Amino acid sequence: EFRATGTRLTATVKRVRGLPAEAFKITRIGNRVEVEASDDRGAMYGLLDAAEQIKLTGKVKAKSVRPFLRVRNFKFNLPLSGSAYLIDVDLKHNKWFYDLAYWRAFMAMMARNRYNAVSFWSAHPYAHMVRLRKYPEACTLTEAELAKNKAFFHKLFGLARDHGLDLYIVTWNIHVSEGFKKAHKVNDGQDSPLIRDYEKEFPDQLYEEWYRLYQLPKPERSKPWKFMHLTVDQVYRPLAKSNGKILELTKLQRESS
């Protein structure tokens, strides 16, 4: 139960079957507001809706809401080295990125606007996140710097989870880290068995770092099969079912930005 500040309203949240994902139903009985939802996100959206009604009108009306779009994603370009589309001045002024207060406010904004996903885009951010067991030379950070980064990304991705946001990292596998380039005398855009093997090492090790955040199965035998199914179910199938609409919207967004 939640009591609305400055009012005599009490809100009760109930988990019910029969509603689609993220949907909710608000009913009003006297001074009691009841939010029914099939999942946590639906409950959050129902409470946000009730709070917005109180703020705008001073009262709560009964209503039923279900999402029109299954995936409502916010695209975010990471201001990290390895992002080939950033200039040096961008990288010199990226301290805000590591400010968790910024991210709390930003993700609260996304939740209020009913986003349920955030995608982080970078050409090759992995060297900021893990040191590969097979290719440790790819990460040039000190152990202290890497530990600090790992702690930050765990908190950042935890904030995404707590605000009802699925998180995606979008990269380009034609890029490699600066440490890897120097150690193996290669450049971005090259293709070789070595580079392919290097790129394939990241998904498993990143999964090991973050699977607990989203209560995913513990990886076994270095093959987190769930990771593959998440990629297929959340990326490739929606793209295929959109009949090109998602790609067309992406192109229009890129042209307008």
Side-chain angles (χ1 to χ4, degrees):
E1 289 194 346
F2 306 86
R3 185 171 296 279
T5 304
T7 74
R8 294 187 299 169
L9 290 176
T10 300
T12 302
V13 177
K14 290 184 176 180
R15 186 184 297 270
V16 297
R17 296 179 179 178
L19 287 175
E22 302 183 359
F24 64 87
K25 179 180 179 182
I26 296 176
T27 55
R28 172 78 183 272
I29 305 174
N31 289 330
R32 178 173 293 277
V33 174
E34 187 172 275
V35 176
E36 295 181 339
S38 61
D39 53 29
D40 291 341
R41 287 182 186 173
M44 178 179 71
Y45 296 147
L47 289 170
L48 284 170
D49 190 285
E52 289 163 1
Q53 289 192 56
I54 292 172
K55 183 177 181 179
L56 292 172
T57 68
K59 55 187 177 182
V60 178
K61 291 184 178 180
K63 65 190 304 186
S64 296
V65 175
R66 61 181 62 196
F68 177 73
L69 294 174
R70 180 180 176 186
V71 178
R72 303 175 300 281
N73 175 62
F74 192 103
K75 177 181 181 289
F76 197 104
N77 291 334
L78 294 181
L80 300 175
S81 59
S83 301
Y85 44 80
L86 295 180
I87 60 177
D88 289 341
V89 68
D90 294 321
L91 300 176
K92 289 179 181 178
H93 299 282
N94 69 350
K95 291 184 179 179
W96 58 267
F97 176 74
Y98 297 95
D99 184 356
L100 289 172
Y102 166 84
W103 285 110
R104 290 188 188 95
F106 191 87
M107 291 186 179
M109 177 278 294
M110 285 193 280
R112 288 195 301 271
N113 286 280
R114 312 308 192 260
Y115 285 99
N116 65 357
V118 57
S119 55
F120 288 144
W121 294 58
S122 175
H124 193 80
Y126 301 137
H128 297 274
M129 300 172 175
V130 293
R131 192 186 309 280
L132 291 178
R133 290 182 288 270
K134 191 171 183 179
Y135 299 103
E137 68 277 8
C139 176
T140 58
L141 299 176
T142 66
E143 289 301 322
E145 290 170 335
L146 182 58
K148 184 177 179 180
N149 275 12
K150 284 185 176 183
F152 166 75
F153 281 111
H154 272 265
K155 292 176 181 177
L156 176 61
F157 298 164
L159 283 173
R161 174 204 60 205
D162 294 343
H163 286 82
L165 298 165
D166 291 332
L167 190 142
Y168 304 90
I169 299 177
V170 182
T171 66
W172 287 259
N173 61 5
I174 62 170
H175 292 270
V176 297
S177 75
E178 292 301 319
F180 191 83
K181 290 177 188 177
K182 184 176 180 180
H184 298 278
K185 305 297 188 294
V186 297
N187 291 305
D188 292 333
Q190 287 184 237
D191 186 16
S192 71
L194 172 67
I195 292 175
R196 291 190 179 201
D197 187 64
Y198 163 76
E199 295 284 359
K200 288 192 295 184
E201 288 296 306
F202 284 105
D204 285 8
Q205 202 159 329
L206 291 170
Y207 187 96
E208 290 176 24
E209 283 288 327
W210 301 325
Y211 75 93
R212 295 184 185 87
L213 284 172
Y214 285 89
Q215 298 178 336
L216 298 173
K218 183 177 180 179
E220 297 179 4
R221 298 181 182 178
S222 299
K223 290 294 180 182
W225 61 270
K226 187 69 172 179
F227 188 85
M228 178 193 70
H229 289 288
L230 285 172
T231 302
V232 171
D233 293 342
Q234 302 299 327
V235 179
Y236 296 122
R237 283 180 182 166
L239 280 171
K241 290 181 179 179
S242 73
N243 294 320
K245 291 181 181 179
I246 293 178
L247 291 176
E248 188 63 32
L249 287 171
T250 302
K251 291 179 183 177
L252 291 173
Q253 183 184 35
R254 183 179 297 173
E255 292 171 359
S256 63
S257 63

